[in-house]
Amino acid sequence: MRQNLVAGNWKMNNNAEQTADLIGDLKSSMEGFEPNCRVMIAPTFVNLAAAAPNTEGTIVEVAAQNMHQAEKGAYTGEISVDMLKSVGIQTVILGHSERRTYFKEDDALLKAKVTTALANGMEVIFCFGELLAERKAGNHFTVVESQLKNVLFDLFSDQWKQIVLAYEPVWAIGTGETASPEQAQEMHSFIRGLVNTKYSETVANELTILYGGSVKPDNAKEIFSKEDVDGGLIGGASLKVADFTAIIQAC
Ligand code: 13P
């Protein structure tokens, strides 16, 4: 059975106090309702060590936004998988378009990061998606296919249990412009089909595929209602408890 998931990517927002406050508000607003999905937040690195115990015993899970591909060593300023695990983090977001664009993370580097994360028992939320120019040129399926093949298609079937996919068309991130529910469904069904062909129907059917890009309370329900959309990776709206809770309720 594949699981729905709504995850909030907080990006470079919220200091320690704001993180504690937002988690406190989220816990209160979640009291008394059992969502139809896993719920996750991804605060910035320095706040993970406090966020993990602060959410213990609740349904809120905590993820990291990134990690380094090496297990350890002379990489000033970087964070290793063991460091994440040592503060109770079991999930990491990799391949976000902001990492690809601003920090030049390419398929080869992402493959190394995914390999290290999986070898250390982490769950990976792997992000990918086409640029506006690529969609306009009609290349979005080809782009997405190569992003997936180059990074994930050497994995063993069993390793897919540790993978969540997040389709985030770059033109929809932080722009207020969302893919239509039909565009999301079309791409998600294409992605599931690729995994089915390369692996098996079981692997494809059990795979959670999130949509990300300007998901808000007023469009979440329609997007999540699509057959192959199993929840969302939420940026801006995850920073406001009322909006994030409404999106969780829409799942
Ligand atoms: P927005 O929801 O702000 O468009 O961001 C989406 C995103 O990048 C989530 O990772």
Side-chain angles (χ1 to χ4, degrees):
M1 254 304 270
R2 66 180 184 247
Q3 279 186 301
N4 293 335
L5 167 66
V6 171
N9 175 8
W10 288 3
K11 307 190 180 183
M12 199 175 72
N13 294 291
N14 294 327
N15 63 23
E17 192 183 339
Q18 291 160 337
T19 297
D21 286 349
L22 194 49
I23 290 173
D25 291 347
L26 182 61
K27 285 196 292 194
S28 314
S29 84
M30 300 277 303
E31 244 165 53
F33 90 87
E34 272 180 38
N36 188 27
C37 58
R38 293 169 68 196
V39 175
M40 199 177 279
I41 53 169
T44 190
F45 281 133
V46 292
N47 293 319
L48 292 175
N54 197 0
T55 51
E56 222 175 298
T58 75
I59 60 154
V60 181
E61 300 172 56
V62 180
Q65 298 174 18
N66 183 31
M67 55 166 256
H68 196 267
Q69 65 277 17
E71 306 260 351
K72 63 177 176 180
Y75 300 101
T76 303
E78 291 295 324
I79 307 288
S80 74
V81 65
D82 180 55
M83 293 168 190
L84 296 179
K85 287 173 66 175
S86 72
V87 295
I89 304 302
Q90 288 160 357
T91 303
V92 61
I93 298 171
L94 293 174
H96 194 279
S97 74
E98 287 147 18
R99 301 292 319 168
R100 294 174 189 258
T101 304
Y102 304 134
F103 304 98
K104 307 292 171 235
E105 296 197 358
D106 60 13
D107 290 346
L109 176 67
L110 291 171
K111 188 168 181 174
K113 290 191 178 202
V114 169
T115 302
T116 303
L118 296 185
N120 284 277
M122 296 282 277
E123 175 183 51
V124 172
I125 300 179
F126 183 72
C127 306
F128 54 93
E130 80 283 1
L131 304 169
L132 182 58
E134 292 164 339
R135 179 161 280 264
K136 280 192 169 158
N139 292 335
H140 42 297
F141 292 116
T142 321
V143 168
V144 161
E145 182 168 353
S146 75
Q147 287 172 323
L148 290 174
K149 281 192 167 164
N150 292 345
V151 179
L152 299 178
F153 277 19
D154 287 332
L155 296 179
F156 299 114
S157 291
D158 238 27
Q159 293 178 295
W160 280 83
K161 292 185 184 130
Q162 289 166 260
I163 300 280
V164 168
L165 296 183
Y167 168 59
E168 299 204 304
V170 179
W171 47 272
I173 296 177
T175 59
E177 188 172 343
T178 328
S180 68
E182 291 71 31
Q183 284 173 319
Q185 169 56 27
E186 185 186 34
M187 182 58 86
H188 284 219
S189 144
F190 171 73
I191 292 162
R192 211 179 293 286
L194 290 176
V195 175
N196 188 348
T197 306
K198 170 73 188 174
Y199 290 91
S200 68
E201 202 173 332
T202 309
V203 173
N205 282 341
E206 288 185 357
L207 180 62
T208 298
I209 310 179
L210 310 180
Y211 167 79
S214 297
V215 176
K216 308 286 177 206
D218 62 0
N219 60 22
K221 189 138 201 102
E222 219 187 325
I223 296 172
F224 295 165
S225 72
K226 293 295 178 190
E227 191 185 338
D228 288 298
V229 179
D230 308 314
L233 186 55
I234 320 299
S238 71
L239 299 170
K240 295 180 202 130
V241 165
D243 287 1
F244 192 50
T245 309
I247 293 169
I248 293 164
Q249 280 168 322
C251 197

